[in-house]
Each structure stands twice: as structure tokens, then as C-alpha cells.
């Protein structure tokens, strides 16, 4: 019963390097999300995908791109990493059929940009 | 001013104590209220979900919403060391997905033996 799986769990980048965070869910959920969590800031939405084939910006999209590869997978790309992107990143999914907002989160990726 | 305010703690209590965790909010349009629990180095997991005002009980946990005061609470009875975690409140105006949620910053709770 995997739920939401994120890779990698830890990553250290140098300023200017690029990387892609991977996320997959096995619950047949329509909606997927990328959040970042910083001390004192709480969870902030970066991008989301309400359904396969659509993506939209959240609260803090600058410096990121996303791809909804299929219903299961939603990736987050940092094209040119900056120290301000040092954070813990969480992927989440939900049914989003109007009945509830129950989010299922992955275990997170701890990213450090030096 | 943030839309949702939550004391970061840490809050330290002895095992068996009643714990009260709280959030205040400024947007009177919020109707859906949630509490998530986050263990260290893990993702948040939904603990309680309530709509509008009133109480909801699930085992040792009770969620309370007072819309007139724009104040929500999570009570934990007979607290256990396994309850040690960060508790995040979240709320939304309308139903329909995580993109509509506003999260608090979380309160760190430690239950000591």
C-alpha cells in the first residue's frame, strides 16, 4: 500500500544546477500537488494539477516547472536552483470529486541548494 | 497579517494530559476546517475534518470550530508519547481540492513520559 511516493528523499545542489523531483500515486486520484515547507511559513502550494492534462500555478510558482506525465505521476523541475529554494518539498494527491479535501502526502524531499 | 495564525510551540506536556491546540483565522468565508498531524521527517496526514461550526469527536481527538470567534481547536485526551508531532490546521472557503487550502504554520507537541 504505497500511497504517494517521492524521490529522491535528500538532495544537495549547487546554485545553477537543475533537477527533477519525482512523484507517483497509486490511489487513482485525479488531483496532484507540489508544496514546499519552510520554518515559520507553513505549507505553500507551488503548482497543482486538478486532472490529467492540466496544470496551474499555486502561491509560489517562480523558479519551478511541472509536468503531469499521466494520471499517476507529477514531476517538479528546478531549472536553475537558487539558495532560496532550499526547503522540504512535498507531493500530495486527492480525489477532488467535490466530497472532501483529504490530501495524501508523500514523505518529502529535503533539498539544499548551496 | 497571515490569514491563519498558529502558535509554533513547542508545547511540552506530561503523558496523560489533555492537550489543546488552536488556530485563529481572519477570513470569515472559511467553512471547511482540517487538522493534519506530521511526524518528524514525514508528510502530513489528515487527522480531523469538520464543516462549519460545532464539534467532532474521533477517539481521543475532538475538533471544535467557533466561527463567530474565528477560532478552531483540537483537543487530545489522555495524550501519549506517540502523539508527539507537529499539528497543522488547514481551512478552505469552498470544497474541491488542496489548491484551495490555507495552512497554519504548525504547532510542535511533545508528550513526555
Amino acid at each position: 500500500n504505497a500511497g504517494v511516493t517521492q524521490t529522491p528523499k535528500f538532495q544537495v545542489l549547487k546554485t545553477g544546477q537543475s533537477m527533477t523531483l519525482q512523484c507517483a500515486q497509486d490511489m487513482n486520484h485525479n488531483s496532484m500537488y507540489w508544496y514546499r515547507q519552510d520554518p515559520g511559513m507553513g505549507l505553500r502550494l507551488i503548482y497543482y494539477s486538478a486532472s490529467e492534462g492540466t496544470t496551474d500555478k499555486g502561491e509560489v510558482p517562480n523558479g519551478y516547472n511541472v509536468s503531469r506525465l499521466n494520471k499517476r505521476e507529477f514531476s517538479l523541475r528546478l531549472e536553475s536552483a537558487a539558495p532560496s529554494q532550499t526547503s522540504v518539498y512535498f507531493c500530495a494527491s486527492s480525489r477532488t470529486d467535490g466530497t472532501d479535501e483529504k490530501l495524501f502526502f508523500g514523505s518529502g524531499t529535503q533539498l539544499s541548494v548551496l | 497579517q497571515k490569514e491563519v495564525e498558529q502558535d509554533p510551540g513547542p508545547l511540552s506536556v506530561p503523558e496523560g494530559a489533555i492537550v489543546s491546540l488552536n488556530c485563529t483565522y481572519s477570513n470569515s468565508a472559511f467553512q471547511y476546517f482540517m487538522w493534519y498531524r506530521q511526524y518528524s521527517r514525514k508528510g502530513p496526514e489528515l487527522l480531523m475534518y469538520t464543516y462549519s461550526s460545532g464539534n467532532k469527536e474521533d477517539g481521543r481527538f475532538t475538533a471544535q470550530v467557533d466561527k463567530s470567534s474565528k477560532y478552531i481547536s483540537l483537543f487530545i485526551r489522555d495524550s501519549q508519547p506517540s502523539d508527539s508531532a507537529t499539528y497543522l490546521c488547514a481551512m478552505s472557503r469552498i470544497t474541491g481540492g488542496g489548491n484551495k487550502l490555507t495552512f497554519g504554520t504548525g504547532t510542535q507537541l511533545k508528550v513526555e513520559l
Side-chain angles (χ1 to χ4, degrees):
Chain A
N1 191 13
V4 179
T5 303
Q6 286 182 241
T7 56
K9 292 189 184 302
F10 301 95
Q11 184 71 47
V12 178
L13 293 177
K14 294 180 180 179
T15 297
Q17 286 186 316
S18 62
M19 77 160 296
T20 300
L21 281 66
Q22 306 286 354
C23 176
Q25 52 90 9
D26 62 2
M27 296 172 282
N28 200 35
H29 284 168
N30 289 318
S31 300
M32 299 185 72
Y33 312 86
W34 278 105
Y35 290 90
R36 59 179 289 173
Q37 187 175 39
D38 303 289
M41 301 295 291
L43 282 163
R44 292 183 293 169
L45 184 64
I46 304 170
Y47 269 95
Y48 68 99
S49 171
S51 60
E52 186 179 356
T54 69
T55 61
D56 283 289
K57 295 178 180 179
E59 181 185 356
V60 288
N62 290 345
Y64 306 94
N65 285 300
V66 291
S67 295
R68 182 76 181 264
L69 304 170
N70 48 55
K71 192 171 186 179
R72 290 186 64 247
E73 298 173 287
F74 189 37
S75 63
L76 178 72
R77 183 161 178 83
L78 286 70
E79 290 291 352
S80 178
S84 61
Q85 294 178 306
T86 293
S87 187
V88 181
Y89 291 85
F90 288 100
C91 176
S93 69
S94 69
R95 292 187 307 177
T96 317
D97 57 2
T99 58
D100 61 53
E101 287 76 36
K102 182 186 287 188
L103 297 181
F104 293 81
F105 285 85
S107 292
T109 297
Q110 191 163 335
L111 175 67
S112 294
V113 183
L114 305 177
Chain B
Q1 185 187 3
K2 293 178 182 176
E3 271 193 301
V4 178
E5 298 278 359
Q6 192 174 5
D7 189 326
L11 178 63
S12 185
V13 300
E15 183 180 8
I18 296 174
V19 176
S20 173
L21 303 166
N22 311 296
C23 287
T24 59
Y25 62 94
S26 57
N27 189 342
S28 59
F30 286 140
Q31 297 191 82
Y32 300 87
F33 303 92
M34 287 134 270
W35 286 96
Y36 282 82
R37 177 176 61 195
Q38 185 176 19
Y39 291 115
S40 180
R41 299 190 181 279
K42 296 292 185 183
E45 57 177 335
L46 185 66
L47 198 58
M48 299 289 282
Y49 178 91
T50 54
Y51 169 68
S52 194
S53 288
N55 293 359
K56 184 174 182 178
E57 188 173 320
D58 184 0
R60 296 185 295 110
F61 298 90
T62 299
Q64 191 172 80
V65 176
D66 182 349
K67 290 186 72 179
S68 62
S69 301
K70 298 190 186 69
Y71 190 88
I72 68 170
S73 300
L74 177 69
F75 297 97
I76 307 174
R77 290 184 300 280
D78 187 26
S79 56
Q80 303 295 310
S82 59
D83 295 327
S84 298
T86 297
Y87 291 80
L88 307 166
C89 63
M91 48 198 79
S92 64
R93 294 179 293 111
I94 58 176
T95 188
N99 50 297
K100 299 177 179 63
L101 288 179
T102 300
F103 285 89
T105 52
T107 298
Q108 186 179 350
L109 172 67
K110 186 173 184 180
V111 181
E112 301 189 22
L113 291 168

